[in-house]
Amino acid sequence: MISGSLVIATSVLYVILLFALAYWSDLMARRGQGNLLHSPLVFTLAISVYCTSWTFYGAVGSAARNGLEFLAVYLGPTLVFTGWWFGLRKLVRIGHNQRITSVADLISSRFGKSGRLAVLVTLMAVVGITPYIALQLKAIATSLRVILSGGFEPSSHVQATPLPQSLDDVGLAFAIAAAMALFSIMFGTRNVNANEQHHGVVAAIAFEAIVKFVALIAVGLFVVFSIGGGFAATFARAEDAGIMLNAQNAFGPRWLTITILSAAAIVCLPRQFQITVVENADERHLRTASWAFPLYLFGMSVFTLPIAIIGRSVLPAGADPDMFVLTLPLAFDQQGLALFAFIGGFSSATSMIIIASIALSIMISNHIVVPIALRSTKVPGQEAGSGMSRLVLTSRRISIAVVLLLGFVYFWLTAGSGALAPIGLISFAGVAQFLPAIIAALYWRDATAKGALAGLIAGFIIWGWSSFLPSFATSSEQIASLLQTGPWGIGILRPQALLGLSGLDPLVHAVFWSLLGNVIALIGVSLFTENDAMGRLQSHLFVDVFKQSTGGHARYVDSSATLDDLLYMTERVLGAEAARSLFAKLGPGAKGLETAPPTPEFISRLEKELAGSIGAASAHVVLGQVVSGESITFEEVLQMADETQKILEYSQRLEHTTEELQSTTVKLREANQQLRELDQQKDEFLSQVSHEVRTPMTAIRSFSEILLNHDDLEAGQRQRFLNTIHDESMRLTILLDEILDLSALERGETLWRNEPVEVGTALRRAIDVCTPLTNQHNLEVRQKNRAENIWVVANGDRLCQVFINLISNAAKYSDAKRPFIEIDSRVKGGELLVDFADNGPGIAPGDRDIIFDKFSRGKHDPESSHSGSGLGLAISLEILVKMGGSLKLLPSSGRGARFQVRLPLASADALPPFERA
Amino acid sequence: MKPDVLIVEDEPSILSSLEFILRHAGWTTRSVTDGEAALRAISMVVPRVVILDVMLPKQSGFDVLKKLRLDRNTRELPILILTAKGQQQDKRTAQGLGATGFITKPYANSEVVDAVRRLLGEAPVRGGANGKSEEDPER
Amino acid sequence: MRGRRKLEFVAFLVPVGGIILILPPLVLIANVSTWIFGVPAIIVYLFAVWLALITVAFALQFPLGRLQETDMEADPSQPETAPAPPK
């Protein structure tokens, strides 16, 4: 028999030890010596706050009733932690980047810093955790009663009783709740931290993790080896003890459901989120936790089933299996071990209550109290000193008290509703409603705030209806009858058989419907709504957290608020000292507290730091108020960006216009240049014409003067001079004709008719016309291929003119001993090709490019033409172009020039009727 | 033998008319039809006067003029420029390059004879600028 | 980069493999009344799977840790190994 005073004294001493540890740890952390505190081991142990009195006491009870089912509660978290690289790592990274303070903050922050979402999640968390806290109160109260009564009092909880327990029990629970509230307040709300981390608390929780682990292992070892005689012997008793190890339905829907719920809980439970994400000092710690935490769970579970088996087989039939951990040592008169076990259970309950209440109080103060306070008072913290800071602290203290009071009320109302594990599972199902929103927050870019809101509400309502409400059935007649008949007798709305889906385990039923409704609402509403600007930004920051280098975004573009103003405001929130140190940390510009306006980056960073203290939404509002006057909301920034964009576009248009102007100028300049060139060409042409005309004129004038002045000339000489005069005047005539001809061609002759022309005929005519000339120059005209009956669309006379020109050029320039011209006419590729190759001097390389220019007789050639005008080739080219053909000087292989005429063939229907067929 | 006049002209009919009238005036002539040949001929035997057409193959008359003026031997050589373009620009260019005389085509035969005579420093035969009298010294 | 994808795939297989192993139908194979060294087969099976998951996670922490270090070096917003203690 353990005396009550000893138990109480031990408990109080234990709490004092914890407090001292926490205080010392805080001190160490402040001195910067808390390396151990930031170790991954402490982090892992702190995560073990997952193992509450439900694990310590309730798991055994669960094993005694349902066999292996309790394992699922630990396998789910094991899966999540071994898969840390994919889920937890991202969550923790986002938590750091966005200074997330709670699960409500996470969801609100992701969905556009929505205040409504934060409030909803906070309320859901409070309601969802209430049964859980009640569970701890119940466990402490029961264990206290058990250890004080010596362990042999049969539990009165086994039978459901409709009325509350004896006043003693309720009073005890109330006293415990009050003590826990005090304890949590002392621990968790001594100050408002800049990043919402509680090093002292975490250290205490880690210590408690060791205590409960050692205590449970100690009991386990005692039970298995001292009572049971080893594992094999213990398991041999299983059947006798009535524990079904190979139940057919052991791995049915309930197994799956609990696995899912526990996996969700390890992330969604506010206290787990607090430890894993908020209190996490270093992302690297996840590595160790990924195997160490599952290992811890493994150790906590090894003895669960053996204890249940031995308890069942050794203890009297009415003994509460939830208390086996305590009653077995008592039964075998191991009072020291029993006391240790009690402290272990006590520590598992207190750690849960402390962290859960702190987490909830942060959520309540950040998402409900502060926003309301901000709305009601114009300037945050009007009272002097640490106004906002005090408000935050006060609200947190009250919140902790309220949370514990709610837990107590739930305990009171549902007293006698039964075992610990089912109560815990109700909480699990409640907080699991956050899971779809969290997953969407991390991985689904298009999830919207409205979608998240809809999903959460739907899931919460269904959970409340099908899981939370029925837990009151044992203490409320109305609720019991509601379960039986449904509201107003509507059968399909019966909480545990929605839409007539009966036959399912109530837990499976509730989880199925609530998560289904949750997910459908989330997806459905998200698909039909859009994120606002902030929501889009945040969704990017969350989903792509590993793709961006910095989370910093300047949202305050311009503000007239000075650093002084911001410091003043920050002091309101964090307290004077914390604010100053924060400003010092945030960097240059803050030192002298100049009145210069802070940079947008500074304000953004400040907002993030403040968000670590009072939540993203509140920090946004606070800063918005201070920076106000020029307070710039994100939408305004976007609008500004939009205007900037417009200005940019305008200036781009201007630039474009300028460019157009410039290009017009350039074009004009080019046109001008062209005109000038044309003008110059005209001048040159005129000059050329003048030259070309003057040359024969000179000869004519000179010889006529000679003839006039010299009567004594020989007849032959006279005759020669007259001939020259005649030739030169002919040359002059031809020149003038050709100039007019070319001018007409260039201007566009009005009477130009293209008609089918037979090439062979045209060529023969040209050769005939040239015969006197070729004879004169001894030029032999050879024909290689003869294109006969080939029709081209051309002007017959003009085509003939081209041929004559080419032949006569060969004749005029011929200088070979046996000059010849070879004409090669053929059809190739749908074109008529006529080559004129001579063995004359050819075209000097330097002249090849200008040969078709006007007056471009090979000037470089000493033997240049004396009778040509230099217009022949230019005219020929002009003619051929007008007929759709071309004239080219082919690269000559040997001596001589080789010109090629190309003309398109006439299509069949263009031919004269008699030529067709 | 040193010719009195070197004629540089590529148009055969003009060349033959110039040869006729200059020989008829009593001078000896030599003819080339392009710029290079002109320079070659002058480098071998410097004539007393050069009649230089501008539009020549290979080297223009101006190029030839420029080169002759750079050479000490021919710096003072009287050169008469013949051009068919007849523009003021050409005349200025010719003067700038140091041409002694400038005649535009088509010209009167007497213009050429008078100019050559002047350049040779000979007095006008029988006085007066009459072409007939000039070109008929033997009469 | 390919090594990274492979490693991440292995890391991905751990929880997925765990899920497959502890859920029906695979778990039903062990759910028979066979005893191994006096311990029911199903218990041996579940705890063995559990221990295997822990072992693989333990082994993976090293290569994944190196990956994480390179990632965090690339992310300048992550240097806070130990947050400055508030004064």
Side-chain angles (χ1 to χ4, degrees):
Chain A
M1 185 77 187
I2 300 168
S3 76
S5 53
L6 178 65
V7 173
I8 300 293
T10 314
S11 305
V12 169
L13 269 177
Y14 177 72
V15 168
I16 290 173
L17 178 68
L18 277 186
F19 196 82
L21 181 68
Y23 188 81
W24 176 77
S25 304
D26 263 348
L27 211 66
M28 296 296 281
R30 240 174 281 182
R31 285 185 188 159
Q33 295 170 336
N35 282 341
L36 182 69
L37 299 177
H38 295 302
S39 75
L41 189 69
V42 170
F43 176 65
T44 306
L45 286 173
I47 294 173
S48 310
V49 74
Y50 181 71
C51 299
T52 66
S53 57
W54 169 8
T55 303
F56 200 87
Y57 296 123
V60 173
S62 173
R65 293 183 190 94
N66 300 320
L68 287 166
E69 183 186 290
F70 78 97
L71 273 180
V73 176
Y74 307 103
L75 286 173
T78 298
L79 294 174
V80 171
F81 267 80
T82 52
W84 66 287
W85 188 258
F86 297 95
L88 288 176
R89 190 173 63 107
K90 192 167 192 180
L91 200 60
V92 169
R93 177 69 66 90
I94 291 170
H96 280 302
N97 277 358
Q98 302 287 316
R99 302 286 190 284
I100 298 296
T101 61
S102 66
V103 65
D105 197 26
L106 177 90
I107 293 175
S108 134
S109 182
R110 156 65 174 81
F111 295 106
K113 305 202 172 179
S114 154
R116 273 191 301 175
L117 265 177
V119 171
L120 177 67
V121 174
T122 302
L123 290 177
M124 284 173 68
V126 170
V127 175
I129 296 310
T130 298
Y132 213 151
I133 288 181
L135 186 155
Q136 312 302 322
L137 295 177
K138 182 181 159 82
I140 295 174
T142 312
S143 64
L144 197 57
R145 204 152 39 77
V146 165
I147 198 166
L148 289 178
S149 64
F152 292 104
E153 182 195 5
S155 171
S156 55
H157 304 299
V158 175
Q159 288 89 29
T161 47
L163 286 173
Q165 290 292 298
S166 65
L167 195 65
D168 253 2
D169 216 7
V170 174
L172 194 59
F174 185 78
I176 293 164
M180 284 293 127
L182 196 67
F183 190 47
S184 303
I185 287 168
M186 288 196 299
F187 264 116
T189 63
R190 283 182 303 132
N191 52 17
V192 179
N193 216 327
N195 46 16
E196 212 55 270
Q197 291 182 338
H198 308 77
H199 307 293
V201 177
V202 170
I205 298 304
F207 175 71
E208 293 207 280
I210 297 171
V211 170
K212 66 192 177 194
F213 187 80
V214 174
L216 195 59
I217 297 292
V219 173
L221 288 173
F222 169 73
V223 168
V224 169
F225 293 103
S226 186
I227 307 174
F231 275 108
T234 303
F235 281 113
R237 297 193 199 189
E239 213 155 327
D240 294 340
I243 292 173
M244 293 290 289
L245 286 176
N246 297 113
Q248 281 309 303
N249 59 354
F251 300 101
R254 229 179 118 82
W255 174 260
L256 173 65
T257 302
I258 293 175
T259 306
I260 293 172
L261 280 186
S262 61
I266 200 67
V267 173
C268 300
L269 276 173
R271 70 170 193 280
Q272 294 307 134
F273 192 90
Q274 177 75 25
I275 295 291
T276 314
V277 179
V278 181
E279 304 279 359
N280 175 275
D282 191 336
E283 197 183 297
R284 299 175 183 88
H285 293 171
L286 277 177
R287 282 180 224 162
T288 308
S290 74
W291 57 270
F293 177 60
L295 191 62
Y296 184 96
L297 295 178
F298 185 91
M300 289 294 273
S301 307
V302 166
F303 292 107
T304 306
L305 208 52
I307 293 172
I309 292 168
I310 298 296
R312 272 272 200 239
S313 59
V314 171
L315 294 176
D320 182 355
D322 280 348
M323 286 298 136
F324 281 171
V325 173
L326 210 51
T327 46
L328 275 172
L330 284 174
F332 288 85
D333 214 21
Q334 294 287 330
Q335 306 212 337
L337 185 62
L339 190 60
F340 189 30
F342 170 76
I343 293 298
F346 182 70
S347 79
S348 56
T350 51
S351 57
M352 182 273 166
I353 290 175
I354 292 168
I355 298 297
S357 61
I358 288 175
L360 287 176
S361 73
I362 289 171
M363 287 161 73
I364 292 169
S365 76
N366 283 1
H367 304 309
I368 297 176
V369 177
V370 172
I372 289 172
L374 287 175
R375 209 160 296 173
S376 56
T377 54
K378 291 220 163 174
V379 180
Q382 259 161 340
E383 323 88 60
S386 53
M388 190 67 138
S389 177
R390 181 174 292 173
L391 174 69
V392 168
L393 280 182
T394 310
S395 68
R396 283 192 190 171
R397 284 167 188 157
I398 294 171
S399 303
I400 289 173
V402 168
V403 164
L404 278 162
L405 185 67
L406 284 174
F408 167 73
V409 168
Y410 185 88
F411 165 77
W412 186 39
L413 288 179
T414 63
S417 68
L420 298 175
I423 305 176
L425 286 173
I426 291 171
S427 278
F428 273 24
V431 296
Q433 303 309 320
F434 301 149
L435 189 68
I438 291 177
I439 290 176
L442 263 53
Y443 299 102
W444 189 29
R445 199 187 304 273
D446 294 329
T448 65
K450 289 195 176 75
L453 202 65
L456 286 169
I457 289 172
F460 188 55
I461 288 174
I462 299 173
W463 168 79
W465 184 252
S466 62
S467 187
F468 188 68
L469 194 68
S471 69
F472 294 98
T474 49
S475 55
S476 166
E477 292 285 351
Q478 284 111 319
I479 290 173
S481 71
L482 189 74
L483 292 184
Q484 288 302 312
T485 59
W488 308 288
I490 302 171
I492 58 164
L493 289 182
R494 273 184 298 157
Q496 295 185 333
L498 285 173
L499 300 181
L501 183 67
S502 55
L504 273 184
D505 177 85
L507 177 74
V508 176
H509 173 270
V511 170
F512 171 73
W513 280 122
S514 59
L515 282 182
L516 184 70
N518 189 330
V519 169
I520 288 175
L522 169 66
I523 294 175
V525 175
S526 287
L527 288 179
F528 287 101
T529 53
E530 291 286 332
N531 270 318
D532 59 6
M534 179 68 92
R536 282 196 296 278
L537 175 73
Q538 289 298 99
S539 94
H540 166 69
L541 290 179
F542 274 60
V543 176
D544 299 329
V545 67
F546 291 124
K547 289 177 192 160
Q548 67 221 3
S549 52
T550 56
H553 284 260
R555 259 168 267 132
Y556 301 94
V557 167
D558 184 25
S559 84
S560 67
T562 62
L563 279 172
D564 239 354
D565 296 340
L566 291 177
L567 178 67
Y568 180 74
M569 184 274 305
T570 311
E571 280 175 352
R572 312 275 106 174
V573 177
L574 300 177
E577 271 186 47
R580 278 176 204 283
S581 72
L582 173 65
F583 267 59
K585 188 182 124 196
L586 281 187
K591 285 170 255 159
L593 301 181
E594 305 94 336
T595 45
T599 60
E601 291 75 26
F602 178 82
I603 301 178
S604 279
R605 288 178 65 194
L606 183 62
E607 183 188 325
K608 214 182 257 177
E609 294 292 333
L610 287 180
S613 223
I614 53 174
S618 296
H620 193 64
V621 172
V622 169
L623 266 177
Q625 280 191 348
V626 175
V627 186
S628 105
E630 273 75 28
S631 151
I632 291 165
T633 65
F634 187 65
E635 283 74 9
E636 282 170 319
V637 173
L638 278 198
Q639 205 180 336
M640 285 180 62
D642 209 37
E643 276 165 21
T644 313
Q645 185 62 31
K646 273 180 197 152
I647 292 169
L648 219 64
E649 276 169 16
Y650 179 67
S651 80
Q652 273 169 354
R653 266 208 306 279
L654 264 183
E655 215 167 278
H656 188 67
T657 315
T658 315
E659 268 170 25
E660 265 177 7
L661 272 176
Q662 274 173 350
S663 84
T664 310
T665 314
V666 168
K667 275 181 201 152
L668 274 175
R669 210 173 289 148
E670 278 169 5
N672 222 341
Q673 181 66 27
Q674 242 169 342
L675 276 177
R676 220 173 291 142
E677 275 168 17
L678 278 175
D679 194 47
Q680 208 176 339
Q681 276 175 18
K682 185 208 71 183
D683 281 353
E684 265 169 31
F685 180 75
L686 278 178
S687 163
Q688 288 273 13
V689 168
S690 160
H691 180 262
E692 297 297 321
V693 172
R694 277 166 196 269
T695 302
M697 286 279 284
T698 306
I700 291 168
R701 182 175 174 186
S702 186
F703 280 113
S704 8
E705 280 183 7
I706 292 170
L707 288 173
L708 278 174
N709 294 333
H710 298 269
D711 308 322
D712 54 344
L713 288 175
E714 300 160 18
Q717 206 172 25
R718 177 183 295 266
Q719 191 57 45
R720 217 173 60 237
F721 289 173
L722 280 172
N723 272 342
T724 306
I725 290 171
H726 179 256
D727 286 350
E728 292 295 332
S729 42
M730 281 308 295
R731 179 177 161 191
L732 206 52
T733 312
I734 292 169
L735 174 70
L736 292 174
D737 281 349
E738 284 186 344
I739 288 171
L740 289 176
D741 197 15
L742 187 63
S743 152
L745 280 172
E746 282 182 343
R747 219 177 36 243
E749 218 170 39
T750 42
L751 290 172
W752 179 283
R753 278 192 60 212
N754 278 344
E755 55 196 7
V757 173
E758 208 277 309
V759 179
T761 317
L763 203 50
R764 262 193 304 281
R765 203 176 118 206
I767 294 171
D768 286 348
V769 170
C770 289
T771 306
L773 190 67
T774 52
N775 285 345
Q776 185 192 332
H777 290 273
N778 281 325
L779 185 77
E780 180 196 352
V781 179
R782 302 179 190 164
Q783 292 209 62
K784 204 176 173 187
N785 299 305
R786 280 171 206 249
E788 293 295 342
N789 205 17
I790 299 300
W791 293 76
V792 293
V793 176
N795 180 314
D797 291 340
R798 288 298 195 174
L799 183 58
C800 204
Q801 184 185 344
V802 171
F803 292 157
I804 292 169
N805 180 259
L806 290 171
I807 296 169
S808 60
N809 270 352
K812 279 186 275 185
Y813 290 91
S814 65
D815 59 353
K817 272 188 184 141
R818 297 183 56 196
F820 68 86
I821 179 167
E822 189 178 78
I823 302 170
D824 180 10
S825 58
R826 64 206 187 276
V827 173
K828 190 180 170 190
E831 273 183 323
L832 168 74
L833 302 183
V834 189
D835 288 5
F836 294 85
D838 62 38
N839 61 345
I843 310 294
D847 289 334
R848 298 185 71 90
D849 292 338
I850 57 156
I851 193 77
F852 295 107
D853 290 351
K854 294 159 206 159
F855 304 113
S856 64
R857 288 168 302 179
K859 292 254 161 45
H860 298 96
D861 195 317
E863 313 293 330
S864 63
S865 147
H866 305 296
S867 52
S869 65
L871 289 176
L873 285 175
I875 291 171
S876 297
L877 177 63
E878 199 74 33
I879 290 169
L880 284 171
V881 167
K882 266 192 173 314
M883 301 191 300
S886 65
L887 176 62
K888 262 191 265 179
L889 174 65
L890 296 181
S892 55
S893 46
R895 198 179 143 73
R898 190 182 192 90
F899 289 91
Q900 186 176 64
V901 172
R902 278 170 179 262
L903 272 175
L905 296 180
S907 58
D909 52 349
L911 298 182
F914 55 89
E915 292 295 342
R916 290 188 206 155
Chain B
M1 186 205 117
K2 178 174 177 173
D4 295 321
V5 183
L6 176 71
I7 307 170
V8 190
E9 171 63 69
D10 64 326
E11 281 286 334
S13 54
I14 295 179
L15 183 60
S16 68
S17 76
L18 281 173
E19 280 172 350
F20 180 86
I21 54 175
L22 291 176
R23 282 177 190 158
H24 216 80
W27 295 300
T28 53
T29 63
R30 190 154 173 232
S31 303
V32 288
T33 55
D34 65 77
E36 275 175 17
L39 286 172
R40 242 186 344 262
I42 291 167
S43 69
M44 286 187 288
V45 183
V46 181
R48 294 174 69 197
V49 171
V50 178
I51 293 179
L52 187 58
D53 186 25
V54 175
M55 298 283 280
L56 289 170
K58 294 193 177 170
Q59 288 203 20
S60 82
F62 287 142
D63 290 340
V64 173
L65 174 61
K66 209 186 296 177
K67 281 173 185 158
L68 289 176
R69 284 300 177 244
L70 287 175
D71 188 338
R72 200 191 301 157
N73 296 329
T74 56
R75 195 175 291 158
E76 302 295 326
L77 176 65
I79 297 171
L80 183 64
I81 292 290
L82 283 184
T83 170
K85 285 193 176 169
Q87 284 160 335
Q88 288 302 308
Q89 180 60 41
D90 275 8
K91 192 167 184 175
R92 275 196 294 275
T93 308
Q95 279 172 346
L97 288 173
T100 328
F102 186 90
I103 289 178
T104 306
K105 294 177 185 174
Y107 45 79
N109 290 347
S110 56
E111 276 181 73
V112 179
V113 175
D114 282 352
V116 171
R117 183 166 289 148
R118 210 168 42 247
L119 294 184
L120 285 172
E122 295 174 6
V125 178
R126 287 187 206 160
N130 191 308
K132 273 184 191 171
S133 56
E134 285 168 0
E135 284 165 26
D136 201 0
E138 282 132 334
R139 193 168 37 172
Chain C
M1 218 53 219
R2 185 147 168 278
R4 181 194 176 106
R5 275 207 302 275
K6 255 187 185 170
L7 179 61
E8 287 195 322
F9 186 66
V10 172
F12 179 71
L13 281 183
V14 178
V16 170
I19 289 167
I20 292 168
L21 287 173
I22 65 162
L23 290 183
L26 275 187
V27 75
L28 298 178
I29 296 172
N31 194 17
V32 289
S33 33
T34 310
W35 299 68
I36 300 167
F37 302 115
V39 180
I42 182 65
I43 291 177
V44 173
Y45 173 78
L46 286 176
F47 277 89
V49 169
W50 201 343
L51 215 52
L53 287 175
I54 292 166
T55 311
V56 177
F58 179 83
L60 276 178
Q61 71 169 325
F62 304 107
L64 284 179
R66 280 193 291 277
L67 216 59
Q68 195 182 22
E69 296 292 342
T70 53
D71 275 5
M72 287 171 73
E73 269 166 34
D75 189 341
S77 68
Q78 287 295 310
E80 39 184 290
T81 27
K87 283 182 185 158

